[in-house]
Coordinates of all heavy atoms in Angstrom, one line a residue:
Q42 N 22.2 -0.2 0.5 CA 20.9 0.2 0.6 C 20.7 1.6 1.2 O 19.6 2.1 1.4 CB 20.1 -0.8 1.4 CG 20.0 -2.2 0.9 CD 18.9 -2.3 -0.1 OE1 18.0 -1.5 -0.2 NE2 18.9 -3.4 -0.8
A43 N 21.8 2.3 1.5 CA 21.7 3.6 2.0 C 20.9 4.6 1.2 O 20.2 5.5 1.6 CB 23.1 4.3 2.3
A44 N 20.9 4.4 -0.2 CA 20.2 5.2 -1.2 C 18.7 5.3 -0.9 O 18.0 6.1 -1.2 CB 20.4 4.8 -2.6
W45 N 18.2 4.2 -0.2 CA 16.7 4.0 0.0 C 16.3 4.9 1.2 O 15.1 5.2 1.4 CB 16.4 2.6 0.2 CG 16.5 1.9 -1.1 CD1 17.6 1.3 -1.6 CD2 15.4 1.7 -2.0 NE1 17.2 0.8 -2.9 CE2 15.9 0.9 -3.1 CE3 14.0 2.0 -2.0 CZ2 15.1 0.5 -4.2 CZ3 13.3 1.6 -3.1 CH2 13.8 0.9 -4.2
G46 N 17.2 5.3 2.2 CA 17.0 6.2 3.2 C 15.7 5.9 3.9 O 15.4 4.9 4.5
D47 N 14.8 6.9 3.8 CA 13.5 6.9 4.5 C 12.3 6.4 3.6 O 11.2 6.6 4.0 CB 13.1 8.3 4.9 CG 14.0 8.9 6.1 OD1 14.6 8.0 6.9 OD2 14.2 10.1 6.1
A48 N 12.6 5.8 2.5 CA 11.7 5.3 1.5 C 10.8 4.2 2.1 O 9.6 4.2 2.0 CB 12.3 4.9 0.3
P49 N 11.4 3.1 2.8 CA 10.5 2.0 3.3 C 9.6 2.6 4.4 O 9.9 3.5 5.1 CB 11.5 1.1 3.9 CG 12.8 1.4 3.2 CD 12.8 2.9 2.9
F50 N 8.5 2.0 4.4 CA 7.4 2.5 5.4 C 6.6 1.4 6.0 O 6.6 0.3 5.5 CB 6.5 3.5 4.8 CG 5.6 2.8 3.7 CD1 4.3 2.3 4.1 CD2 6.0 2.7 2.4 CE1 3.5 1.7 3.1 CE2 5.1 2.1 1.5 CZ 3.9 1.6 1.9
S51 N 6.0 1.6 7.1 CA 5.0 0.8 7.7 C 4.0 1.7 8.3 O 4.4 2.7 8.9 CB 5.8 -0.1 8.8 OG 4.7 -0.9 9.4
T52 N 2.8 1.4 8.3 CA 1.7 2.2 8.8 C 0.6 1.3 9.2 O 0.4 0.2 8.8 CB 1.2 3.3 7.8 OG1 0.3 4.2 8.5 CG2 0.6 2.6 6.6
D53 N -0.2 1.8 10.3 CA -1.3 1.1 10.7 C -2.3 2.1 11.3 O -1.9 3.1 11.8 CB -1.1 -0.1 11.7 CG -0.2 0.4 12.9 OD1 -0.9 1.0 13.7 OD2 1.0 0.2 13.0
R54 N -3.5 1.8 11.3 CA -4.6 2.7 11.9 C -5.8 1.7 12.4 O -6.1 0.8 11.7 CB -5.2 3.6 10.8 CG -4.3 4.5 10.2 CD -3.9 5.7 11.1 NE -3.1 6.7 10.4 CZ -1.7 6.6 10.3 NH1 -1.1 5.6 10.8 NH2 -1.1 7.6 9.7
W55 N -6.4 2.1 13.5 CA -7.6 1.5 13.9 C -8.7 2.4 13.3 O -8.8 3.6 13.5 CB -7.7 1.4 15.4 CG -6.8 0.4 16.0 CD1 -5.7 0.6 16.7 CD2 -7.1 -1.0 16.0 NE1 -5.2 -0.6 17.1 CE2 -6.1 -1.6 16.7 CE3 -8.1 -1.7 15.5 CZ2 -6.0 -3.0 16.9 CZ3 -8.1 -3.2 15.7 CH2 -7.0 -3.7 16.4
L56 N -9.6 1.8 12.6 CA -10.7 2.4 12.0 C -12.1 1.9 12.5 O -12.1 0.7 12.9 CB -10.6 2.3 10.4 CG -9.4 2.7 9.7 CD1 -9.4 2.3 8.3 CD2 -9.0 4.2 9.9
H57 N -13.1 2.7 12.4 CA -14.4 2.2 12.7 C -15.2 2.2 11.4 O -15.5 3.2 10.9 CB -15.0 3.1 13.8 CG -14.4 3.1 15.1 ND1 -13.3 3.7 15.4 CD2 -14.7 2.3 16.2 CE1 -12.9 3.4 16.7 NE2 -13.8 2.6 17.1
L58 N -15.4 0.9 10.9 CA -16.0 0.8 9.6 C -17.1 -0.2 9.6 O -17.1 -1.2 10.4 CB -15.0 0.3 8.5 CG -13.6 1.1 8.4 CD1 -12.7 0.4 7.6 CD2 -14.0 2.5 7.9
S59 N -18.0 0.0 8.7 CA -19.1 -1.0 8.5 C -18.5 -2.1 7.5 O -17.5 -1.8 6.9 CB -20.3 -0.4 7.9 OG -20.1 0.0 6.5
P60 N -19.2 -3.2 7.4 CA -18.7 -4.2 6.4 C -18.6 -3.6 5.0 O -17.5 -3.9 4.3 CB -19.7 -5.3 6.5 CG -20.3 -5.3 7.8 CD -20.3 -3.7 8.2
E61 N -19.5 -2.8 4.6 CA -19.5 -2.2 3.3 C -18.3 -1.2 3.2 O -17.7 -1.1 2.1 CB -20.8 -1.4 3.0 CG -22.0 -2.4 3.0 CD -22.6 -2.8 4.4 OE1 -22.2 -2.1 5.4 OE2 -23.4 -3.8 4.4
E62 N -18.1 -0.4 4.3 CA -16.9 0.6 4.2 C -15.6 -0.2 4.1 O -14.7 0.2 3.4 CB -17.0 1.4 5.4 CG -18.1 2.4 5.4 CD -18.3 3.1 6.7 OE1 -18.0 2.6 7.7 OE2 -18.8 4.2 6.7
L63 N -15.5 -1.3 4.8 CA -14.3 -2.1 4.8 C -14.0 -2.6 3.4 O -13.0 -2.6 2.8 CB -14.3 -3.2 5.8 CG -13.0 -4.1 5.9 CD1 -11.8 -3.3 6.1 CD2 -13.2 -5.3 6.9
A64 N -15.1 -3.1 2.7 CA -15.0 -3.6 1.4 C -14.6 -2.5 0.4 O -13.8 -2.7 -0.5 CB -16.4 -4.2 1.0
E65 N -15.2 -1.3 0.6 CA -14.9 -0.2 -0.2 C -13.4 0.2 0.0 O -12.6 0.5 -1.0 CB -15.7 1.0 0.1 CG -15.3 2.2 -0.8 CD -16.3 3.4 -0.4 OE1 -17.3 3.3 0.3 OE2 -16.0 4.5 -0.9
L66 N -12.9 0.2 1.2 CA -11.5 0.5 1.4 C -10.6 -0.5 0.8 O -9.6 -0.2 0.2 CB -11.3 0.6 3.0 CG -9.8 0.7 3.4 CD1 -9.2 2.1 2.9 CD2 -9.7 0.6 4.9
G67 N -11.0 -1.8 0.9 CA -10.3 -2.9 0.3 C -10.1 -2.6 -1.3 O -9.1 -2.8 -1.8
R68 N -11.2 -2.3 -1.9 CA -11.2 -2.1 -3.3 C -10.3 -0.9 -3.7 O -9.6 -1.0 -4.6 CB -12.7 -1.8 -3.8 CG -13.5 -3.1 -3.9 CD -14.9 -2.8 -4.6 NE -15.7 -1.8 -3.9 CZ -16.6 -2.1 -2.9 NH1 -16.7 -3.4 -2.5 NH2 -17.3 -1.1 -2.4
E69 N -10.4 0.1 -2.9 CA -9.5 1.3 -3.2 C -8.1 0.9 -3.1 O -7.2 1.4 -3.9 CB -9.9 2.5 -2.2 CG -11.2 3.1 -2.6 CD -11.5 4.3 -1.6 OE1 -10.6 4.8 -1.0 OE2 -12.7 4.6 -1.4
L70 N -7.6 0.2 -2.0 CA -6.3 -0.3 -2.0 C -5.8 -1.1 -3.0 O -4.7 -0.9 -3.5 CB -6.1 -0.9 -0.5 CG -6.1 0.0 0.7 CD1 -6.1 -0.8 2.0 CD2 -5.0 1.0 0.8
V71 N -6.6 -2.1 -3.4 CA -6.3 -3.0 -4.5 C -6.2 -2.2 -5.8 O -5.2 -2.5 -6.6 CB -7.4 -4.2 -4.6 CG1 -7.3 -4.9 -6.0 CG2 -7.3 -5.0 -3.4
D72 N -7.1 -1.2 -6.0 CA -7.0 -0.5 -7.2 C -5.7 0.4 -7.3 O -5.0 0.5 -8.3 CB -8.2 0.5 -7.3 CG -9.5 -0.3 -7.7 OD1 -9.5 -1.4 -8.1 OD2 -10.5 0.4 -7.5
L73 N -5.4 1.0 -6.1 CA -4.2 1.7 -6.0 C -2.9 0.9 -6.3 O -2.1 1.3 -7.1 CB -4.0 2.4 -4.6 CG -2.8 3.2 -4.3 CD1 -2.6 4.4 -5.2 CD2 -2.7 3.6 -2.8
L74 N -2.8 -0.2 -5.7 CA -1.7 -1.1 -5.9 C -1.6 -1.6 -7.4 O -0.6 -1.8 -8.0 CB -1.7 -2.3 -4.9 CG -1.4 -1.9 -3.4 CD1 -1.5 -3.1 -2.6 CD2 -0.1 -1.2 -3.3
A75 N -2.8 -1.9 -7.9 CA -2.9 -2.3 -9.4 C -2.3 -1.2 -10.3 O -1.7 -1.5 -11.2 CB -4.3 -2.7 -9.7
R76 N -2.7 0.1 -10.0 CA -2.1 1.1 -10.8 C -0.6 1.2 -10.8 O 0.0 1.4 -11.7 CB -2.7 2.5 -10.3 CG -4.1 2.7 -10.9 CD -4.5 4.2 -10.8 NE -4.2 4.9 -9.5 CZ -5.0 4.9 -8.5 NH1 -6.1 4.3 -8.4 NH2 -4.6 5.6 -7.4
W77 N 0.0 1.1 -9.6 CA 1.4 1.1 -9.4 C 2.0 -0.2 -10.1 O 3.1 -0.1 -10.7 CB 1.9 1.2 -8.0 CG 1.8 2.6 -7.5 CD1 0.8 3.2 -6.9 CD2 2.8 3.6 -7.6 NE1 1.0 4.5 -6.6 CE2 2.4 4.8 -7.0 CE3 4.1 3.5 -8.1 CZ2 3.1 5.9 -7.0 CZ3 4.9 4.7 -8.0 CH2 4.4 5.9 -7.5
A78 N 1.4 -1.3 -9.9 CA 1.9 -2.5 -10.5 C 1.8 -2.5 -12.0 O 2.7 -3.1 -12.8 CB 1.2 -3.8 -10.0
G79 N 0.9 -1.8 -12.6 CA 0.6 -1.9 -14.0 C 1.2 -0.8 -14.8 O 1.2 -0.7 -16.0
R80 N 1.9 0.2 -14.0 CA 2.5 1.3 -14.7 C 3.7 0.9 -15.5 O 4.3 -0.1 -15.2 CB 2.9 2.4 -13.7 CG 4.2 2.0 -12.9 CD 4.5 3.1 -11.9 NE 5.8 2.7 -11.2 CZ 6.9 3.3 -11.2 NH1 6.9 4.6 -11.7 NH2 8.0 3.0 -10.6
E81 N 4.0 1.7 -16.6 CA 5.2 1.5 -17.4 C 6.3 2.0 -16.5 O 6.3 3.2 -16.2 CB 5.1 2.1 -18.7 CG 6.1 1.7 -19.6 CD 5.8 2.1 -21.1 OE1 4.7 2.0 -21.5 OE2 6.8 2.5 -21.8
V82 N 7.3 1.2 -16.3 CA 8.5 1.7 -15.5 C 9.4 2.6 -16.4 O 9.8 2.2 -17.4 CB 9.3 0.4 -15.0 CG1 10.6 0.9 -14.2 CG2 8.4 -0.5 -14.1
P83 N 9.5 3.8 -15.8 CA 10.4 4.8 -16.6 C 11.8 4.3 -16.8 O 12.4 3.7 -15.9 CB 10.3 6.0 -15.7 CG 9.2 5.8 -14.8 CD 9.0 4.4 -14.6
D84 N 12.3 4.6 -18.0 CA 13.7 4.4 -18.2 C 14.5 5.6 -18.0 O 14.9 6.3 -19.0 CB 13.8 3.8 -19.7 CG 15.3 3.4 -20.0 OD1 16.1 3.2 -19.0 OD2 15.6 3.2 -21.2
D85 N 14.6 6.0 -16.8 CA 15.2 7.3 -16.4 C 16.6 7.2 -15.6 O 17.1 8.2 -15.1 CB 14.3 8.2 -15.7 CG 13.8 7.5 -14.4 OD1 14.4 6.5 -14.0 OD2 12.9 8.1 -13.8
G86 N 17.1 5.9 -15.6 CA 18.4 5.7 -14.9 C 18.3 5.7 -13.4 O 19.4 5.5 -12.7
R87 N 17.2 5.8 -12.8 CA 17.0 5.8 -11.4 C 17.0 4.3 -10.9 O 16.4 3.5 -11.6 CB 15.7 6.4 -10.9 CG 15.8 8.0 -11.2 CD 14.5 8.7 -10.9 NE 14.1 8.5 -9.5 CZ 12.9 9.0 -9.1 NH1 12.0 9.5 -9.9 NH2 12.6 8.8 -7.8
E88 N 17.5 4.1 -9.8 CA 17.6 2.6 -9.2 C 16.2 2.3 -8.8 O 15.5 3.0 -8.1 CB 18.5 2.6 -8.0 CG 18.5 1.2 -7.3 CD 19.2 1.2 -6.0 OE1 19.6 2.2 -5.5 OE2 19.3 0.1 -5.5
R89 N 15.8 1.1 -9.3 CA 14.5 0.5 -8.9 C 14.8 -1.0 -8.5 O 15.5 -1.7 -9.3 CB 13.5 0.6 -10.0 CG 13.0 2.0 -10.2 CD 11.9 2.1 -11.3 NE 11.4 3.5 -11.3 CZ 12.0 4.5 -12.0 NH1 13.2 4.3 -12.6 NH2 11.5 5.7 -12.0
Q90 N 14.1 -1.4 -7.5 CA 14.2 -2.8 -7.0 C 12.9 -3.3 -6.7 O 12.0 -2.5 -6.5 CB 15.1 -2.9 -5.7 CG 16.5 -2.6 -5.9 CD 17.4 -2.8 -4.7 OE1 17.0 -3.4 -3.7 NE2 18.5 -2.2 -4.6
P91 N 12.7 -4.6 -6.8 CA 11.4 -5.2 -6.4 C 11.1 -4.8 -5.0 O 11.9 -4.8 -4.1 CB 11.6 -6.7 -6.5 CG 12.8 -6.9 -7.4 CD 13.7 -5.7 -7.2
V92 N 9.8 -4.4 -4.8 CA 9.3 -4.0 -3.5 C 8.0 -4.7 -3.1 O 7.2 -4.7 -4.0 CB 9.1 -2.5 -3.3 CG1 8.4 -2.1 -2.0 CG2 10.3 -1.7 -3.5
F93 N 8.0 -5.4 -2.1 CA 6.8 -6.1 -1.7 C 5.9 -5.3 -0.8 O 6.4 -4.8 0.2 CB 7.2 -7.5 -1.0 CG 6.0 -8.3 -0.5 CD1 5.2 -8.9 -1.3 CD2 5.7 -8.4 0.9 CE1 4.0 -9.6 -1.0 CE2 4.6 -9.2 1.3 CZ 3.9 -9.8 0.4
V94 N 4.6 -5.1 -1.2 CA 3.7 -4.3 -0.5 C 2.5 -5.1 -0.1 O 2.0 -5.8 -1.0 CB 3.2 -3.0 -1.3 CG1 2.2 -2.3 -0.5 CG2 4.4 -2.1 -1.6
F95 N 2.1 -5.1 1.1 CA 0.9 -5.9 1.5 C 0.0 -5.1 2.4 O 0.5 -4.1 3.1 CB 1.3 -7.2 2.1 CG 1.9 -7.1 3.5 CD1 1.2 -7.1 4.7 CD2 3.3 -6.8 3.6 CE1 1.8 -7.0 5.9 CE2 3.9 -6.7 4.8 CZ 3.1 -6.8 6.0
A96 N -1.3 -5.4 2.4 CA -2.2 -4.8 3.3 C -3.3 -5.7 3.7 O -3.6 -6.7 2.9 CB -2.9 -3.5 2.7
Y97 N -3.8 -5.6 4.9 CA -5.0 -6.5 5.2 C -5.9 -5.8 6.1 O -5.5 -4.8 6.8 CB -4.5 -7.9 5.8 CG -3.8 -7.7 7.0 CD1 -4.3 -7.7 8.3 CD2 -2.3 -7.6 7.0 CE1 -3.5 -7.6 9.5 CE2 -1.5 -7.5 8.1 CZ -2.2 -7.5 9.4 OH -1.5 -7.3 10.5
G98 N -7.1 -6.1 6.1 CA -8.1 -5.5 7.0 C -9.1 -6.5 7.5 O -9.6 -7.3 6.7
M99 N -9.3 -6.5 8.8 CA -10.2 -7.5 9.3 C -10.7 -7.0 10.6 O -10.1 -6.2 11.4 CB -9.6 -8.9 9.5 CG -8.5 -8.9 10.6 SD -7.5 -10.3 10.6 CE -6.3 -10.0 9.3
P100 N -12.0 -7.4 11.1 CA -12.4 -7.0 12.4 C -11.5 -7.5 13.5 O -11.0 -8.6 13.5 CB -13.9 -7.6 12.5 CG -14.3 -8.0 11.1 CD -13.0 -8.2 10.3
A101 N -11.3 -6.6 14.5 CA -10.4 -6.9 15.6 C -10.7 -5.9 16.7 O -11.4 -5.0 16.5 CB -8.9 -6.7 15.1
Q102 N -10.0 -6.1 17.8 CA -10.1 -5.2 18.9 C -8.7 -4.5 19.2 O -7.7 -5.3 19.1 CB -10.5 -5.9 20.2 CG -12.0 -6.5 20.1 CD -13.0 -5.3 20.0 OE1 -12.9 -4.4 20.7 NE2 -14.0 -5.5 19.1
P103 N -8.7 -3.2 19.4 CA -7.5 -2.6 19.7 C -6.8 -3.1 21.1 O -7.5 -3.6 21.9 CB -7.7 -1.1 19.9 CG -9.1 -0.9 19.6 CD -9.8 -2.3 19.4

């Protein structure tokens, strides 16, 4: 797995959002992941493996 180097990631942020803004953010994330999931995988000889990506957003306190 050394070839994957710094590719794996984890990120988090505390945001101040209204319910409508949280819904908009959710739609944007779902759309972004759908674009990547629906893309045609190039046949260019590069190594590709299944990658699980998840995101969630809910009201909480830091």
